[in-house]
Amino acid sequence: MTYAAKLSPAATDAGEPLGPIDETTGLLRREAFLGALDRRARQEEKRPFALLAIDLDRFKAVNDSLGHPIGDALLRAVGRRLRSCIRAGDLAGRLGGDEFAILLPDQGREEDAEALAARLVDLLSRPFLLEGHSAVIGASVGIAIFPEDADDADRLMRAADLALYAAKEQGRGLVRRYAPEMRARMEERRRLEADLRAAIGLGQFELHFQPQVSIAGGALTGFEALLRWRHPERGLVPPAAFVPLAEEIGLIVPIGEWVLRTACREATTWPEALHVAVNVAAPQFAQRDLFDVVAAALADSGLPAHRLELEVTETSLLHDTTRAIETCQRLRTLGVRISLDDFGTGYSSLTQLRDFPLDRVKIDRSFIAEIGTRGDSAAIVRAVTALGAALGLRTTAEGVETPEQLAELLAYGCSEAQGYLVSRPVPRDQVQEMIARLAQGQETAA
Amino acid sequence: MSGPSESLQRVIYASRATAGGELKVSEILETARRNNAALGVTGALLVSGPYFAQVLEGPPAAVEEIFERIQCDPRHERITVLEVAHPPARAFGAWTMAFAEEREDVSGPTLLDPAAAWGLLDRLQAALTNTAASQRLPG
């Protein structure tokens, strides 16, 4: 099953000097590649040609886990595979760490560029064997075609990069051709990012609070604090539209700290029996000082630790489980309670329920929504509730919307409920009213 | 052909023939035997319908070179490395590329299962004892 691929040199244009070659990969170095691209774009006739921007997926993970020498061996092998794919006259360059580009000076057809890109993606996703270790990475490719997508080297490179960005954003291991709306989307993203960076300073974030009630008695037990962004032009931006971006650019850490401090301060104005639940994102866990941040928020607000509950997701515990367990243990020693959010949607594992220092499990809304319609969802909710009880954990049902769901949950022995049936999240100035309303409802029921 | 364990590397991988492609086992074996003999690599190939499992063993650099050539062959896909090890001795020292075939319904997709690596060596050795297609290393 061997296949002797003829290796094309990185550059074979006989009329031009090859330019400096990157020692690791054997490909043209950045300046040399961009110089060749510029010369090709300046040719008198506007004959079409294609440019491919290539990024390795998961290269950093291999480099981090197996070390730099293996990382370099991987880059050498990637260089060989890239060279094996191109034809005489084509140019391949290394633009940065794990970024590459291929110039097809005589190929302006989208189909041809796409065929090569697909071959690259396939070839780079095949396993590598490096000094006794097997490694699997992948690649994403963006394609731009001259002069249709851009008629100078700089703009063509940017177009290929935008297409590459789209390929990565849409799931990696993909090939995307540049489209003008990609530029518009990127500009919108840049504006959103700039606005988001300014939002804390401008006081545009606010917390809304959704009540959590005891299923058995209906009594209010606390509120979950939910982040909202009120932008002067965009209006109330839903978290799904900005939290992923905030995580990506590292802003979630200061935003998370603001949420924590604000929620603790707010909870001090409520009756003492009520807790406040605050979401903690994965990057906050990755920060060494989460414990200190929580301790400071409690000290500055004066909120007793047992009234604070941190909601963590399964995925945020996965990255560095040992440290996450240690942080949660220290927080619990302080009195803070830990709750596992969205249980059932991620890498739900029963081992986690057993090994992780938890006080509560929140059953994901998708199971609750199907209690009445799908027997298997009902079975899962029942099982998680029973398991929680056996492990000494409280269980909260998320997204409870109908009295029928509540009745079922009561029958299963689920301890608390949260959802539109009780109330939507409300702004802070409506919290006192909500506390009064729920207290009154309880008196009426009693 | 055996030496201290650091100088001997074994890799086991599984893959399947690319859908719609043409793959002749005889061609694979011929190329494999030629290339392996030149680099001191021995091994075995198990074919089961469109599925393959191959063992390569020899000096680490040679095994990695052969493996890389195989990776780039477009005639197969869905390649999974099942094991990379440094065994004390070769399991197929007598063959440049031994060959055995199993009926597809016997194994098939399970070849792609990393857990299959353990049983695979035994299965290959058993299958080889009565297969005429295996070829002894000359000399």
Side-chain angles (χ1 to χ4, degrees), chain A residues 1-4 77 80-81 84 119 123 126-134, chain B residues 9 13 28 31 35 52 64 67-73 75-76 79 81 84:
Chain A
M1 211 176 303
T2 47
Y3 168 80
R80 272 197 306 274
R81 288 193 190 177
S84 77
R119 170 109 180 92
L123 204 55
R126 295 171 176 231
F128 292 86
L129 187 59
L130 309 158
E131 296 170 27
H133 299 275
S134 93
Chain B
Q9 178 168 300
Y13 75 88
I28 296 170
T31 326
N35 291 331
F52 298 91
E64 288 179 13
F67 180 83
E68 179 64 19
R69 274 192 236 173
I70 294 171
Q71 286 312 301
C72 297
D73 193 327
R75 292 175 298 178
H76 69 154
I79 303 143
V81 175
V84 185

Side-chain angles (χ1 to χ4, degrees), chain A residues 94-248:
Chain A
R94 182 183 181 196
L95 301 186
D98 60 347
E99 298 165 44
F100 303 89
I102 290 178
L103 170 63
L104 307 175
D106 305 311
Q107 291 272 30
R109 279 161 36 106
E110 181 177 350
E111 305 90 272
D112 295 332
E114 271 176 0
L116 171 63
R119 170 109 180 92
L120 285 170
V121 167
D122 171 40
L123 204 55
L124 293 175
S125 71
R126 295 171 176 231
F128 292 86
L129 187 59
L130 309 158
E131 296 170 27
H133 299 275
S134 93
V136 180
I137 54 165
S140 306
V141 182
I143 299 174
I145 295 186
F146 175 95
E148 193 184 330
D149 296 339
D151 62 3
D152 70 68
D154 265 9
R155 290 183 52 239
L156 191 68
M157 192 70 240
R158 273 208 303 277
D161 276 339
L162 281 168
L164 171 62
Y165 182 82
K168 290 170 74 165
E169 203 186 31
Q170 285 164 38
R172 299 169 187 275
L174 298 174
V175 175
R176 286 292 174 268
R177 160 83 191 275
Y178 169 77
E181 59 266 26
M182 289 175 182
R183 202 177 293 276
R185 249 208 331 272
M186 182 61 91
E187 269 157 27
E188 164 52 21
R189 190 194 125 102
R190 237 195 311 271
R191 272 196 299 275
L192 185 67
E193 186 179 325
D195 287 359
L196 194 54
R197 287 186 191 281
I200 289 191
L202 293 174
Q204 291 171 348
F205 287 123
E206 52 189 69
L207 291 183
H208 286 203
F209 298 89
Q210 188 171 36
Q212 299 177 326
V213 300
S214 149
I215 293 182
L220 178 67
T221 58
F223 288 91
E224 177 177 357
L226 295 154
L227 178 64
R228 298 288 184 266
W229 178 17
R230 196 177 294 278
H231 186 274
E233 285 117 47
R234 297 172 193 272
L236 204 57
V237 187
F242 70 92
V243 170
L245 177 62
E247 291 193 7
E248 195 185 322

Side-chain angles (χ1 to χ4, degrees), chain A residues 20-76:
Chain A
I21 298 289
D22 170 60
E23 279 178 29
T24 310
T25 58
L27 306 176
L28 282 175
R29 297 219 318 241
R30 184 186 175 86
E31 326 76 77
F33 181 86
L34 294 179
L37 172 64
D38 191 51
R39 283 194 297 282
R40 177 63 185 82
R42 285 174 193 279
Q43 282 178 7
E44 278 305 307
E45 14 134 27
K46 292 281 178 199
R47 199 159 40 85
F49 68 89
L51 175 66
L52 278 63
I54 305 150
D55 241 26
L56 301 184
D57 301 329
R58 294 181 300 280
F59 171 75
K60 195 179 169 320
V62 172
N63 206 42
D64 289 351
S65 62
L66 298 178
H68 288 295
I70 305 273
D72 277 358
L74 178 56
L75 287 172
R76 267 195 296 282

Side-chain angles (χ1 to χ4, degrees), chain A residues 82-97:
Chain A
L82 284 179
R83 278 178 284 146
S84 77
C85 278
I86 62 175
R87 304 184 314 179
D90 298 342
L91 300 170
R94 182 183 181 196
L95 301 186

Side-chain angles (χ1 to χ4, degrees), chain A residues 331-381:
Chain A
L331 287 165
R332 286 181 88 213
T333 317
L334 212 62
V336 173
R337 286 181 291 182
I338 309 289
S339 145
L340 189 60
D341 209 0
D342 305 331
F343 187 75
T345 53
Y347 301 80
S348 311
S349 106
L350 298 179
T351 320
Q352 223 166 50
L353 281 191
R354 187 196 62 194
D355 296 345
F356 213 81
L358 290 176
D359 299 278
R360 180 193 301 277
V361 177
K362 294 186 80 178
I363 307 166
D364 189 68
R365 57 180 63 247
S366 56
F367 299 109
I368 309 300
E370 293 170 347
I371 280 185
T373 53
R374 281 185 58 167
D376 50 358
S377 287
I380 289 173
V381 175

Side-chain angles (χ1 to χ4, degrees), chain B residues 44-82:
Chain B
L45 176 70
L46 179 66
V47 176
S48 175
Y51 295 96
F52 298 91
Q54 194 170 27
V55 182
L56 295 168
E57 51 187 21
V63 168
E64 288 179 13
E65 186 183 330
I66 299 268
F67 180 83
E68 179 64 19
R69 274 192 236 173
I70 294 171
Q71 286 312 301
C72 297
D73 193 327
R75 292 175 298 178
H76 69 154
E77 60 186 13
R78 287 175 54 193
I79 303 143
T80 310
V81 175
L82 301 176

